[in-house]
PDB file of all heavy atoms in Angstrom:
ATOM      1  N   ARG A   1      23.000  -2.469 -15.612  1.00  0.00           N
ATOM      2  CA  ARG A   1      23.975  -2.528 -14.522  1.00  0.00           C
ATOM      3  C   ARG A   1      23.681  -1.430 -13.504  1.00  0.00           C
ATOM      4  O   ARG A   1      23.715  -1.661 -12.290  1.00  0.00           O
ATOM      5  CB  ARG A   1      25.395  -2.382 -15.069  1.00  0.00           C
ATOM      6  CG  ARG A   1      26.460  -2.614 -14.028  1.00  0.00           C
ATOM      7  CD  ARG A   1      27.863  -2.448 -14.592  1.00  0.00           C
ATOM      8  NE  ARG A   1      28.111  -3.313 -15.743  1.00  0.00           N
ATOM      9  CZ  ARG A   1      28.693  -2.921 -16.875  1.00  0.00           C
ATOM     10  NH1 ARG A   1      29.092  -1.685 -17.021  1.00  0.00           N
ATOM     11  NH2 ARG A   1      28.891  -3.773 -17.853  1.00  0.00           N
ATOM     12  N   ASN A   2      23.378  -0.227 -14.002  1.00  0.00           N
ATOM     13  CA  ASN A   2      23.049   0.880 -13.105  1.00  0.00           C
ATOM     14  C   ASN A   2      21.776   0.592 -12.320  1.00  0.00           C
ATOM     15  O   ASN A   2      21.693   0.877 -11.126  1.00  0.00           O
ATOM     16  CB  ASN A   2      22.892   2.183 -13.887  1.00  0.00           C
ATOM     17  CG  ASN A   2      24.212   2.695 -14.411  1.00  0.00           C
ATOM     18  OD1 ASN A   2      25.257   2.382 -13.859  1.00  0.00           O
ATOM     19  ND2 ASN A   2      24.174   3.462 -15.481  1.00  0.00           N
ATOM     20  N   ARG A   3      20.789   0.027 -12.986  1.00  0.00           N
ATOM     21  CA  ARG A   3      19.528  -0.284 -12.312  1.00  0.00           C
ATOM     22  C   ARG A   3      19.728  -1.362 -11.250  1.00  0.00           C
ATOM     23  O   ARG A   3      19.167  -1.278 -10.158  1.00  0.00           O
ATOM     24  CB  ARG A   3      18.478  -0.740 -13.319  1.00  0.00           C
ATOM     25  CG  ARG A   3      17.942   0.391 -14.165  1.00  0.00           C
ATOM     26  CD  ARG A   3      16.958  -0.100 -15.190  1.00  0.00           C
ATOM     27  NE  ARG A   3      16.383   1.020 -15.929  1.00  0.00           N
ATOM     28  CZ  ARG A   3      15.779   0.906 -17.103  1.00  0.00           C
ATOM     29  NH1 ARG A   3      15.670  -0.280 -17.676  1.00  0.00           N
ATOM     30  NH2 ARG A   3      15.279   1.966 -17.695  1.00  0.00           N
ATOM     31  N   ARG A   4      20.512  -2.374 -11.571  1.00  0.00           N
ATOM     32  CA  ARG A   4      20.769  -3.456 -10.613  1.00  0.00           C
ATOM     33  C   ARG A   4      21.525  -2.907  -9.399  1.00  0.00           C
ATOM     34  O   ARG A   4      21.242  -3.274  -8.258  1.00  0.00           O
ATOM     35  CB  ARG A   4      21.572  -4.567 -11.296  1.00  0.00           C
ATOM     36  CG  ARG A   4      21.488  -5.889 -10.594  1.00  0.00           C
ATOM     37  CD  ARG A   4      21.999  -7.053 -11.421  1.00  0.00           C
ATOM     38  NE  ARG A   4      22.964  -6.743 -12.459  1.00  0.00           N
ATOM     39  CZ  ARG A   4      22.708  -6.789 -13.771  1.00  0.00           C
ATOM     40  NH1 ARG A   4      21.509  -7.134 -14.207  1.00  0.00           N
ATOM     41  NH2 ARG A   4      23.631  -6.500 -14.650  1.00  0.00           N
ATOM     42  N   SER A   5      22.463  -1.998  -9.639  1.00  0.00           N
ATOM     43  CA  SER A   5      23.217  -1.380  -8.558  1.00  0.00           C
ATOM     44  C   SER A   5      22.283  -0.566  -7.668  1.00  0.00           C
ATOM     45  O   SER A   5      22.396  -0.584  -6.442  1.00  0.00           O
ATOM     46  CB  SER A   5      24.303  -0.483  -9.143  1.00  0.00           C
ATOM     47  OG  SER A   5      24.937   0.232  -8.121  1.00  0.00           O
ATOM     48  N   ARG A   6      21.344   0.130  -8.270  1.00  0.00           N
ATOM     49  CA  ARG A   6      20.378   0.934  -7.520  1.00  0.00           C
ATOM     50  C   ARG A   6      19.519   0.040  -6.621  1.00  0.00           C
ATOM     51  O   ARG A   6      19.272   0.371  -5.456  1.00  0.00           O
ATOM     52  CB  ARG A   6      19.506   1.713  -8.495  1.00  0.00           C
ATOM     53  CG  ARG A   6      18.544   2.658  -7.829  1.00  0.00           C
ATOM     54  CD  ARG A   6      17.951   3.630  -8.849  1.00  0.00           C
ATOM     55  NE  ARG A   6      17.225   4.649  -8.123  1.00  0.00           N
ATOM     56  CZ  ARG A   6      15.915   4.789  -8.170  1.00  0.00           C
ATOM     57  NH1 ARG A   6      15.188   3.997  -8.928  1.00  0.00           N
ATOM     58  NH2 ARG A   6      15.313   5.728  -7.480  1.00  0.00           N
ATOM     59  N   VAL A   7      19.092  -1.100  -7.151  1.00  0.00           N
ATOM     60  CA  VAL A   7      18.298  -2.043  -6.370  1.00  0.00           C
ATOM     61  C   VAL A   7      19.105  -2.508  -5.159  1.00  0.00           C
ATOM     62  O   VAL A   7      18.604  -2.511  -4.030  1.00  0.00           O
ATOM     63  CB  VAL A   7      17.867  -3.259  -7.227  1.00  0.00           C
ATOM     64  CG1 VAL A   7      17.315  -4.375  -6.365  1.00  0.00           C
ATOM     65  CG2 VAL A   7      16.850  -2.833  -8.262  1.00  0.00           C
ATOM     66  N   ARG A   8      20.355  -2.883  -5.388  1.00  0.00           N
ATOM     67  CA  ARG A   8      21.203  -3.370  -4.293  1.00  0.00           C
ATOM     68  C   ARG A   8      21.391  -2.297  -3.222  1.00  0.00           C
ATOM     69  O   ARG A   8      21.389  -2.594  -2.026  1.00  0.00           O
ATOM     70  CB  ARG A   8      22.575  -3.795  -4.823  1.00  0.00           C
ATOM     71  CG  ARG A   8      22.527  -5.066  -5.614  1.00  0.00           C
ATOM     72  CD  ARG A   8      23.951  -5.551  -5.890  1.00  0.00           C
ATOM     73  NE  ARG A   8      23.954  -6.578  -6.900  1.00  0.00           N
ATOM     74  CZ  ARG A   8      24.542  -6.476  -8.088  1.00  0.00           C
ATOM     75  NH1 ARG A   8      25.204  -5.378  -8.402  1.00  0.00           N
ATOM     76  NH2 ARG A   8      24.496  -7.462  -8.950  1.00  0.00           N
ATOM     77  N   THR A   9      21.559  -1.046  -3.649  1.00  0.00           N
ATOM     78  CA  THR A   9      21.738   0.048  -2.704  1.00  0.00           C
ATOM     79  C   THR A   9      20.504   0.212  -1.826  1.00  0.00           C
ATOM     80  O   THR A   9      20.613   0.342  -0.607  1.00  0.00           O
ATOM     81  CB  THR A   9      22.025   1.367  -3.459  1.00  0.00           C
ATOM     82  OG1 THR A   9      23.200   1.200  -4.231  1.00  0.00           O
ATOM     83  CG2 THR A   9      22.190   2.527  -2.494  1.00  0.00           C
ATOM     84  N   PHE A  10      19.316   0.186  -2.435  1.00  0.00           N
ATOM     85  CA  PHE A  10      18.074   0.348  -1.683  1.00  0.00           C
ATOM     86  C   PHE A  10      17.877  -0.813  -0.704  1.00  0.00           C
ATOM     87  O   PHE A  10      17.470  -0.607   0.436  1.00  0.00           O
ATOM     88  CB  PHE A  10      16.881   0.453  -2.630  1.00  0.00           C
ATOM     89  CG  PHE A  10      16.631   1.852  -3.121  1.00  0.00           C
ATOM     90  CD1 PHE A  10      17.348   2.368  -4.186  1.00  0.00           C
ATOM     91  CD2 PHE A  10      15.673   2.648  -2.526  1.00  0.00           C
ATOM     92  CE1 PHE A  10      17.120   3.654  -4.644  1.00  0.00           C
ATOM     93  CE2 PHE A  10      15.433   3.939  -2.975  1.00  0.00           C
ATOM     94  CZ  PHE A  10      16.156   4.449  -4.036  1.00  0.00           C
ATOM     95  N   VAL A  11      18.174  -2.026  -1.153  1.00  0.00           N
ATOM     96  CA  VAL A  11      18.027  -3.198  -0.285  1.00  0.00           C
ATOM     97  C   VAL A  11      19.013  -3.104   0.876  1.00  0.00           C
ATOM     98  O   VAL A  11      18.668  -3.410   2.028  1.00  0.00           O
ATOM     99  CB  VAL A  11      18.236  -4.512  -1.084  1.00  0.00           C
ATOM    100  CG1 VAL A  11      18.334  -5.701  -0.156  1.00  0.00           C
ATOM    101  CG2 VAL A  11      17.107  -4.702  -2.083  1.00  0.00           C
ATOM    102  N   ARG A  12      20.223  -2.650   0.597  1.00  0.00           N
ATOM    103  CA  ARG A  12      21.232  -2.527   1.636  1.00  0.00           C
ATOM    104  C   ARG A  12      20.794  -1.531   2.704  1.00  0.00           C
ATOM    105  O   ARG A  12      21.060  -1.717   3.900  1.00  0.00           O
ATOM    106  CB  ARG A  12      22.575  -2.098   1.032  1.00  0.00           C
ATOM    107  CG  ARG A  12      23.736  -2.316   1.980  1.00  0.00           C
ATOM    108  CD  ARG A  12      25.089  -2.046   1.334  1.00  0.00           C
ATOM    109  NE  ARG A  12      25.274  -2.794   0.101  1.00  0.00           N
ATOM    110  CZ  ARG A  12      25.429  -2.235  -1.118  1.00  0.00           C
ATOM    111  NH1 ARG A  12      25.413  -0.931  -1.266  1.00  0.00           N
ATOM    112  NH2 ARG A  12      25.613  -2.996  -2.171  1.00  0.00           N
ATOM    113  N   LYS A  13      20.107  -0.454   2.309  1.00  0.00           N
ATOM    114  CA  LYS A  13      19.634   0.532   3.287  1.00  0.00           C
ATOM    115  C   LYS A  13      18.656  -0.115   4.268  1.00  0.00           C
ATOM    116  O   LYS A  13      18.700   0.166   5.464  1.00  0.00           O
ATOM    117  CB  LYS A  13      18.972   1.708   2.575  1.00  0.00           C
ATOM    118  CG  LYS A  13      19.959   2.631   1.907  1.00  0.00           C
ATOM    119  CD  LYS A  13      19.269   3.776   1.206  1.00  0.00           C
ATOM    120  CE  LYS A  13      20.258   4.647   0.467  1.00  0.00           C
ATOM    121  NZ  LYS A  13      19.601   5.736  -0.278  1.00  0.00           N
ATOM    122  N   VAL A  14      17.775  -0.986   3.761  1.00  0.00           N
ATOM    123  CA  VAL A  14      16.832  -1.683   4.641  1.00  0.00           C
ATOM    124  C   VAL A  14      17.599  -2.616   5.564  1.00  0.00           C
ATOM    125  O   VAL A  14      17.359  -2.650   6.786  1.00  0.00           O
ATOM    126  CB  VAL A  14      15.779  -2.477   3.832  1.00  0.00           C
ATOM    127  CG1 VAL A  14      14.863  -3.253   4.757  1.00  0.00           C
ATOM    128  CG2 VAL A  14      14.974  -1.564   2.927  1.00  0.00           C
ATOM    129  N   GLU A  15      18.524  -3.379   5.010  1.00  0.00           N
ATOM    130  CA  GLU A  15      19.292  -4.343   5.810  1.00  0.00           C
ATOM    131  C   GLU A  15      20.132  -3.637   6.876  1.00  0.00           C
ATOM    132  O   GLU A  15      20.243  -4.125   8.001  1.00  0.00           O
ATOM    133  CB  GLU A  15      20.175  -5.201   4.903  1.00  0.00           C
ATOM    134  CG  GLU A  15      19.371  -6.150   4.038  1.00  0.00           C
ATOM    135  CD  GLU A  15      20.190  -6.846   2.969  1.00  0.00           C
ATOM    136  OE1 GLU A  15      21.347  -6.414   2.712  1.00  0.00           O
ATOM    137  OE2 GLU A  15      19.675  -7.809   2.382  1.00  0.00           O
ATOM    138  N   ASP A  16      20.700  -2.481   6.539  1.00  0.00           N
ATOM    139  CA  ASP A  16      21.486  -1.725   7.521  1.00  0.00           C
ATOM    140  C   ASP A  16      20.604  -1.224   8.657  1.00  0.00           C
ATOM    141  O   ASP A  16      20.997  -1.257   9.825  1.00  0.00           O
ATOM    142  CB  ASP A  16      22.206  -0.544   6.851  1.00  0.00           C
ATOM    143  CG  ASP A  16      23.349  -0.996   5.957  1.00  0.00           C
ATOM    144  OD1 ASP A  16      23.750  -2.183   6.066  1.00  0.00           O
ATOM    145  OD2 ASP A  16      23.829  -0.171   5.157  1.00  0.00           O
ATOM    146  N   ALA A  17      19.404  -0.744   8.312  1.00  0.00           N
ATOM    147  CA  ALA A  17      18.479  -0.263   9.337  1.00  0.00           C
ATOM    148  C   ALA A  17      18.034  -1.416  10.231  1.00  0.00           C
ATOM    149  O   ALA A  17      17.892  -1.256  11.444  1.00  0.00           O
ATOM    150  CB  ALA A  17      17.271   0.404   8.686  1.00  0.00           C
ATOM    151  N   LEU A  18      17.828  -2.591   9.631  1.00  0.00           N
ATOM    152  CA  LEU A  18      17.454  -3.768  10.427  1.00  0.00           C
ATOM    153  C   LEU A  18      18.586  -4.152  11.370  1.00  0.00           C
ATOM    154  O   LEU A  18      18.353  -4.450  12.546  1.00  0.00           O
ATOM    155  CB  LEU A  18      17.121  -4.950   9.507  1.00  0.00           C
ATOM    156  CG  LEU A  18      15.789  -4.886   8.755  1.00  0.00           C
ATOM    157  CD1 LEU A  18      15.747  -5.958   7.682  1.00  0.00           C
ATOM    158  CD2 LEU A  18      14.620  -5.039   9.714  1.00  0.00           C
ATOM    159  N   ALA A  19      19.801  -4.130  10.870  1.00  0.00           N
ATOM    160  CA  ALA A  19      20.953  -4.501  11.696  1.00  0.00           C
ATOM    161  C   ALA A  19      21.160  -3.512  12.836  1.00  0.00           C
ATOM    162  O   ALA A  19      21.543  -3.895  13.945  1.00  0.00           O
ATOM    163  CB  ALA A  19      22.205  -4.575  10.834  1.00  0.00           C
ATOM    164  N   ALA A  20      20.876  -2.242  12.567  1.00  0.00           N
ATOM    165  CA  ALA A  20      21.047  -1.210  13.587  1.00  0.00           C
ATOM    166  C   ALA A  20      19.896  -1.218  14.591  1.00  0.00           C
ATOM    167  O   ALA A  20      19.993  -0.600  15.652  1.00  0.00           O
ATOM    168  CB  ALA A  20      21.157   0.155  12.937  1.00  0.00           C
ATOM    169  N   GLY A  21      18.809  -1.888  14.238  1.00  0.00           N
ATOM    170  CA  GLY A  21      17.652  -1.938  15.129  1.00  0.00           C
ATOM    171  C   GLY A  21      16.817  -0.672  15.079  1.00  0.00           C
ATOM    172  O   GLY A  21      16.031  -0.403  15.982  1.00  0.00           O
ATOM    173  N   ASP A  22      16.960   0.104  14.016  1.00  0.00           N
ATOM    174  CA  ASP A  22      16.218   1.358  13.859  1.00  0.00           C
ATOM    175  C   ASP A  22      14.937   1.089  13.069  1.00  0.00           C
ATOM    176  O   ASP A  22      14.957   1.027  11.845  1.00  0.00           O
ATOM    177  CB  ASP A  22      17.098   2.385  13.145  1.00  0.00           C
ATOM    178  CG  ASP A  22      16.479   3.777  13.127  1.00  0.00           C
ATOM    179  OD1 ASP A  22      15.321   3.925  13.550  1.00  0.00           O
ATOM    180  OD2 ASP A  22      17.172   4.706  12.689  1.00  0.00           O
ATOM    181  N   ARG A  23      13.827   0.930  13.775  1.00  0.00           N
ATOM    182  CA  ARG A  23      12.558   0.563  13.129  1.00  0.00           C
ATOM    183  C   ARG A  23      12.068   1.644  12.172  1.00  0.00           C
ATOM    184  O   ARG A  23      11.619   1.344  11.067  1.00  0.00           O
ATOM    185  CB  ARG A  23      11.506   0.269  14.179  1.00  0.00           C
ATOM    186  CG  ARG A  23      10.158  -0.085  13.571  1.00  0.00           C
ATOM    187  CD  ARG A  23       9.226  -0.754  14.536  1.00  0.00           C
ATOM    188  NE  ARG A  23       7.832  -0.776  14.145  1.00  0.00           N
ATOM    189  CZ  ARG A  23       7.347  -1.298  13.027  1.00  0.00           C
ATOM    190  NH1 ARG A  23       8.160  -1.842  12.141  1.00  0.00           N
ATOM    191  NH2 ARG A  23       6.062  -1.291  12.760  1.00  0.00           N
ATOM    192  N   ASP A  24      12.139   2.912  12.588  1.00  0.00           N
ATOM    193  CA  ASP A  24      11.638   4.001  11.734  1.00  0.00           C
ATOM    194  C   ASP A  24      12.410   4.073  10.420  1.00  0.00           C
ATOM    195  O   ASP A  24      11.823   4.233   9.343  1.00  0.00           O
ATOM    196  CB  ASP A  24      11.735   5.337  12.472  1.00  0.00           C
ATOM    197  CG  ASP A  24      10.799   5.386  13.680  1.00  0.00           C
ATOM    198  OD1 ASP A  24       9.778   4.674  13.657  1.00  0.00           O
ATOM    199  OD2 ASP A  24      11.112   6.131  14.630  1.00  0.00           O
ATOM    200  N   ALA A  25      13.724   3.948  10.505  1.00  0.00           N
ATOM    201  CA  ALA A  25      14.550   3.976   9.294  1.00  0.00           C
ATOM    202  C   ALA A  25      14.258   2.761   8.421  1.00  0.00           C
ATOM    203  O   ALA A  25      14.224   2.861   7.192  1.00  0.00           O
ATOM    204  CB  ALA A  25      16.019   4.017   9.654  1.00  0.00           C
ATOM    205  N   ALA A  26      14.032   1.601   9.049  1.00  0.00           N
ATOM    206  CA  ALA A  26      13.747   0.381   8.294  1.00  0.00           C
ATOM    207  C   ALA A  26      12.422   0.505   7.550  1.00  0.00           C
ATOM    208  O   ALA A  26      12.319   0.119   6.379  1.00  0.00           O
ATOM    209  CB  ALA A  26      13.718  -0.826   9.224  1.00  0.00           C
ATOM    210  N   VAL A  27      11.412   1.068   8.208  1.00  0.00           N
ATOM    211  CA  VAL A  27      10.099   1.244   7.566  1.00  0.00           C
ATOM    212  C   VAL A  27      10.221   2.218   6.396  1.00  0.00           C
ATOM    213  O   VAL A  27       9.680   1.984   5.304  1.00  0.00           O
ATOM    214  CB  VAL A  27       9.049   1.732   8.591  1.00  0.00           C
ATOM    215  CG1 VAL A  27       7.767   2.162   7.896  1.00  0.00           C
ATOM    216  CG2 VAL A  27       8.760   0.634   9.608  1.00  0.00           C
ATOM    217  N   ALA A  28      10.950   3.309   6.602  1.00  0.00           N
ATOM    218  CA  ALA A  28      11.131   4.300   5.531  1.00  0.00           C
ATOM    219  C   ALA A  28      11.896   3.692   4.357  1.00  0.00           C
ATOM    220  O   ALA A  28      11.546   3.904   3.186  1.00  0.00           O
ATOM    221  CB  ALA A  28      11.873   5.518   6.072  1.00  0.00           C
ATOM    222  N   ALA A  29      12.945   2.933   4.659  1.00  0.00           N
ATOM    223  CA  ALA A  29      13.741   2.310   3.595  1.00  0.00           C
ATOM    224  C   ALA A  29      12.929   1.254   2.856  1.00  0.00           C
ATOM    225  O   ALA A  29      13.050   1.115   1.634  1.00  0.00           O
ATOM    226  CB  ALA A  29      15.005   1.691   4.179  1.00  0.00           C
ATOM    227  N   LEU A  30      12.090   0.521   3.591  1.00  0.00           N
ATOM    228  CA  LEU A  30      11.239  -0.491   2.960  1.00  0.00           C
ATOM    229  C   LEU A  30      10.249   0.163   2.011  1.00  0.00           C
ATOM    230  O   LEU A  30      10.002  -0.334   0.907  1.00  0.00           O
ATOM    231  CB  LEU A  30      10.493  -1.299   4.023  1.00  0.00           C
ATOM    232  CG  LEU A  30       9.524  -2.353   3.497  1.00  0.00           C
ATOM    233  CD1 LEU A  30      10.286  -3.451   2.760  1.00  0.00           C
ATOM    234  CD2 LEU A  30       8.715  -2.953   4.627  1.00  0.00           C
ATOM    235  N   LYS A  31       9.700   1.288   2.438  1.00  0.00           N
ATOM    236  CA  LYS A  31       8.745   2.015   1.603  1.00  0.00           C
ATOM    237  C   LYS A  31       9.417   2.491   0.307  1.00  0.00           C
ATOM    238  O   LYS A  31       8.788   2.549  -0.743  1.00  0.00           O
ATOM    239  CB  LYS A  31       8.202   3.213   2.380  1.00  0.00           C
ATOM    240  CG  LYS A  31       6.887   3.723   1.908  1.00  0.00           C
ATOM    241  CD  LYS A  31       6.328   4.738   2.883  1.00  0.00           C
ATOM    242  CE  LYS A  31       4.891   5.050   2.559  1.00  0.00           C
ATOM    243  NZ  LYS A  31       4.285   5.978   3.510  1.00  0.00           N
ATOM    244  N   ALA A  32      10.699   2.820   0.393  1.00  0.00           N
ATOM    245  CA  ALA A  32      11.439   3.275  -0.789  1.00  0.00           C
ATOM    246  C   ALA A  32      11.857   2.113  -1.688  1.00  0.00           C
ATOM    247  O   ALA A  32      11.902   2.253  -2.910  1.00  0.00           O
ATOM    248  CB  ALA A  32      12.672   4.052  -0.348  1.00  0.00           C
ATOM    249  N   VAL A  33      12.162   0.955  -1.096  1.00  0.00           N
ATOM    250  CA  VAL A  33      12.684  -0.163  -1.882  1.00  0.00           C
ATOM    251  C   VAL A  33      11.576  -0.919  -2.620  1.00  0.00           C
ATOM    252  O   VAL A  33      11.838  -1.505  -3.674  1.00  0.00           O
ATOM    253  CB  VAL A  33      13.508  -1.128  -0.999  1.00  0.00           C
ATOM    254  CG1 VAL A  33      12.643  -2.064  -0.203  1.00  0.00           C
ATOM    255  CG2 VAL A  33      14.468  -1.940  -1.849  1.00  0.00           C
ATOM    256  N   GLU A  34      10.360  -0.903  -2.094  1.00  0.00           N
ATOM    257  CA  GLU A  34       9.284  -1.682  -2.719  1.00  0.00           C
ATOM    258  C   GLU A  34       9.051  -1.329  -4.189  1.00  0.00           C
ATOM    259  O   GLU A  34       9.087  -2.211  -5.043  1.00  0.00           O
ATOM    260  CB  GLU A  34       7.984  -1.530  -1.921  1.00  0.00           C
ATOM    261  CG  GLU A  34       7.668  -2.737  -1.093  1.00  0.00           C
ATOM    262  CD  GLU A  34       6.326  -2.631  -0.409  1.00  0.00           C
ATOM    263  OE1 GLU A  34       6.276  -2.049   0.680  1.00  0.00           O
ATOM    264  OE2 GLU A  34       5.346  -3.134  -0.984  1.00  0.00           O
ATOM    265  N   PRO A  35       8.835  -0.049  -4.528  1.00  0.00           N
ATOM    266  CA  PRO A  35       8.617   0.256  -5.948  1.00  0.00           C
ATOM    267  C   PRO A  35       9.846  -0.016  -6.815  1.00  0.00           C
ATOM    268  O   PRO A  35       9.713  -0.405  -7.981  1.00  0.00           O
ATOM    269  CB  PRO A  35       8.253   1.741  -5.962  1.00  0.00           C
ATOM    270  CG  PRO A  35       8.632   2.273  -4.641  1.00  0.00           C
ATOM    271  CD  PRO A  35       8.669   1.122  -3.688  1.00  0.00           C
ATOM    272  N   VAL A  36      11.040   0.165  -6.250  1.00  0.00           N
ATOM    273  CA  VAL A  36      12.268  -0.082  -7.018  1.00  0.00           C
ATOM    274  C   VAL A  36      12.376  -1.566  -7.362  1.00  0.00           C
ATOM    275  O   VAL A  36      12.685  -1.934  -8.499  1.00  0.00           O
ATOM    276  CB  VAL A  36      13.504   0.397  -6.224  1.00  0.00           C
ATOM    277  CG1 VAL A  36      14.782   0.009  -6.930  1.00  0.00           C
ATOM    278  CG2 VAL A  36      13.440   1.898  -6.023  1.00  0.00           C
ATOM    279  N   LEU A  37      12.099  -2.430  -6.378  1.00  0.00           N
ATOM    280  CA  LEU A  37      12.152  -3.875  -6.629  1.00  0.00           C
ATOM    281  C   LEU A  37      11.059  -4.300  -7.604  1.00  0.00           C
ATOM    282  O   LEU A  37      11.299  -5.101  -8.516  1.00  0.00           O
ATOM    283  CB  LEU A  37      12.011  -4.645  -5.313  1.00  0.00           C
ATOM    284  CG  LEU A  37      13.300  -4.881  -4.538  1.00  0.00           C
ATOM    285  CD1 LEU A  37      13.008  -5.439  -3.160  1.00  0.00           C
ATOM    286  CD2 LEU A  37      14.225  -5.810  -5.284  1.00  0.00           C
ATOM    287  N   SER A  38       9.853  -3.771  -7.424  1.00  0.00           N
ATOM    288  CA  SER A  38       8.750  -4.134  -8.317  1.00  0.00           C
ATOM    289  C   SER A  38       9.064  -3.756  -9.760  1.00  0.00           C
ATOM    290  O   SER A  38       8.861  -4.536 -10.685  1.00  0.00           O
ATOM    291  CB  SER A  38       7.456  -3.434  -7.889  1.00  0.00           C
ATOM    292  OG  SER A  38       7.052  -3.880  -6.637  1.00  0.00           O
ATOM    293  N   ARG A  39       9.583  -2.551  -9.915  1.00  0.00           N
ATOM    294  CA  ARG A  39       9.915  -2.079 -11.257  1.00  0.00           C
ATOM    295  C   ARG A  39      11.020  -2.927 -11.870  1.00  0.00           C
ATOM    296  O   ARG A  39      10.997  -3.238 -13.060  1.00  0.00           O
ATOM    297  CB  ARG A  39      10.339  -0.609 -11.190  1.00  0.00           C
ATOM    298  CG  ARG A  39      10.147   0.136 -12.481  1.00  0.00           C
ATOM    299  CD  ARG A  39      10.383   1.634 -12.353  1.00  0.00           C
ATOM    300  NE  ARG A  39       9.641   2.226 -11.261  1.00  0.00           N
ATOM    301  CZ  ARG A  39      10.197   2.820 -10.194  1.00  0.00           C
ATOM    302  NH1 ARG A  39      11.505   2.899 -10.073  1.00  0.00           N
ATOM    303  NH2 ARG A  39       9.452   3.339  -9.246  1.00  0.00           N
ATOM    304  N   SER A  40      11.990  -3.316 -11.053  1.00  0.00           N
ATOM    305  CA  SER A  40      13.087  -4.126 -11.584  1.00  0.00           C
ATOM    306  C   SER A  40      12.568  -5.489 -12.043  1.00  0.00           C
ATOM    307  O   SER A  40      13.081  -6.055 -12.999  1.00  0.00           O
ATOM    308  CB  SER A  40      14.193  -4.291 -10.546  1.00  0.00           C
ATOM    309  OG  SER A  40      13.759  -5.119  -9.493  1.00  0.00           O
TER     310      SER A  40
END
């Protein structure tokens, strides 16, 4: 449950950056979410 919550949090950070139109934040968040999703 904790791991699934962590995945959702990381994905939400990317989606929030996309919605805000902040490319740098989106790239950074994507770089962070990739290993978390792969591991999950």
